Amino acid sequence: CILLVLYLRMAQSTLSVRAISRDAKEYLGICKVGFPSLIRQGLNSISGGLLNNLTKPFGDAAIAAMSVVNRFSSLVMFVGLGIGQGFQPVASFNYQAKKYRRVKRGLIFTTVFGFCLVALLSAFGFLFSESIVEIFQEERRVIEIGPPALRYACIGLLFLPLSVPVNMLYQSIRKAGVASFLSILRSGAALIPTLLIGVHFLKLDGILMAQPIADGITGLICIPFILHFLRNTPDGE
């Protein structure tokens, strides 16, 4: 509603019911471009529910500790997603205009800049993990579980800038298949097996390390996609 009000007040164009498209292909294109985001959000919910169920046998303190870790991780992740979403219109506009060199530079800048910000926040979380956990929970058992889990998470978050910008890139240039595959990785194809294997062999420690390991796997898998785009896309204008 806020965006609509601002649009009506400030935009140079106008909205008209007559201008609503009747072409099904346009709506299909919208769905294809948005499908990776749907996968990403859906798998976040599924993996979050699985994480809670696997943590439940280890007691309320373990659940509370993981909740604190997830809050801090979400804060850092949203910074990464925000930078990636800011890159999307730049990538989309310049790719369609065949200014591929700008897209390449934008991808490199977004990855490096995102890494610097995420690394700064992760270092803060790693160094002050115990203090951060104590802000949310003061129970002794939670403070025992939370700081190691938060340190693991901070290490895993360093791989986030390798996965988010390239995912947003392929989504922006309408390569929905690649973007959907990359969206499946972090909260699905990498995390869910890691959780199930980790809890089986390492119990609670396996749960604590599952997301960081999944982040690392996702980041490493994304590297070839970054290199492929940089090497095989012509410089253009």
Side-chain angles (χ1 to χ4, degrees):
C1 292
I2 292 172
L3 289 174
L4 179 61
V5 170
L6 291 175
Y7 177 85
L8 294 175
R9 287 182 178 180
M10 302 174 65
Q12 296 179 352
S13 56
T14 58
L15 297 175
S16 173
V17 176
R18 296 179 180 177
I20 296 176
S21 175
R22 297 175 179 82
D23 187 356
K25 290 183 178 179
E26 292 192 18
Y27 296 104
L28 180 61
I30 293 172
C31 292
K32 287 175 64 178
V33 171
F35 189 64
S37 295
L38 174 65
I39 294 176
R40 186 162 49 245
Q41 298 298 332
L43 285 175
N44 282 339
S45 300
I46 294 171
S47 59
L50 178 63
L51 176 64
N52 286 335
N53 286 331
L54 292 177
T55 309
K56 190 181 298 182
F58 299 99
D60 294 338
I63 296 175
M66 292 306 300
S67 176
V68 173
V69 172
N70 287 335
R71 287 173 188 171
F72 184 84
S73 298
S74 295
L75 171 65
V76 180
M77 184 180 71
F78 291 149
V79 171
L81 287 175
I83 295 171
Q85 288 172 344
F87 171 58
Q88 279 189 298
V90 176
S92 179
F93 178 85
N94 286 285
Y95 190 86
Q96 296 301 322
K98 300 186 186 303
K99 298 182 182 294
Y100 303 124
R101 184 179 299 176
R102 288 186 182 180
V103 182
K104 291 181 179 182
R105 290 177 177 175
L107 175 61
I108 294 171
F109 172 81
T110 304
T111 302
V112 174
F113 182 64
F115 178 80
C116 292
L117 281 181
V118 170
L120 185 64
L121 292 171
S122 297
F124 177 82
F126 189 93
L127 294 173
F128 300 100
S129 57
E130 188 168 338
S131 300
I132 292 172
V133 173
E134 288 177 349
I135 292 174
F136 297 95
Q137 290 283 343
E138 296 182 352
E139 186 181 339
R140 182 182 62 82
R141 180 59 178 157
V142 176
I143 296 175
E144 289 177 359
I145 300 172
L150 184 54
R151 293 188 195 105
Y152 294 144
C154 289
I155 294 173
L157 288 169
L158 295 175
F159 292 89
L160 199 63
L162 291 175
S163 60
V164 171
V166 68
N167 194 340
M168 298 296 185
L169 168 68
Y170 282 104
Q171 187 173 352
S172 300
I173 62 177
R174 300 196 170 211
K175 295 190 176 182
V178 177
S180 297
F181 169 74
L182 297 177
S183 295
I184 289 171
L185 292 175
R186 183 178 187 267
S187 297
L191 178 58
I192 292 175
T194 305
L195 270 173
L196 296 174
I197 295 171
V199 73
H200 179 75
F201 289 101
L202 300 174
K203 306 302 180 185
L204 181 58
D205 286 338
I207 295 176
L208 303 184
M209 293 186 288
Q211 184 66 71
I213 292 173
D215 286 337
I217 293 172
T218 302
L220 294 176
I221 292 175
C222 287
I223 290 176
F225 290 90
I226 297 173
L227 297 177
H228 175 79
F229 181 83
L230 294 176
R231 290 175 177 174
N232 294 281
T233 304
D235 285 340
E237 299 178 16

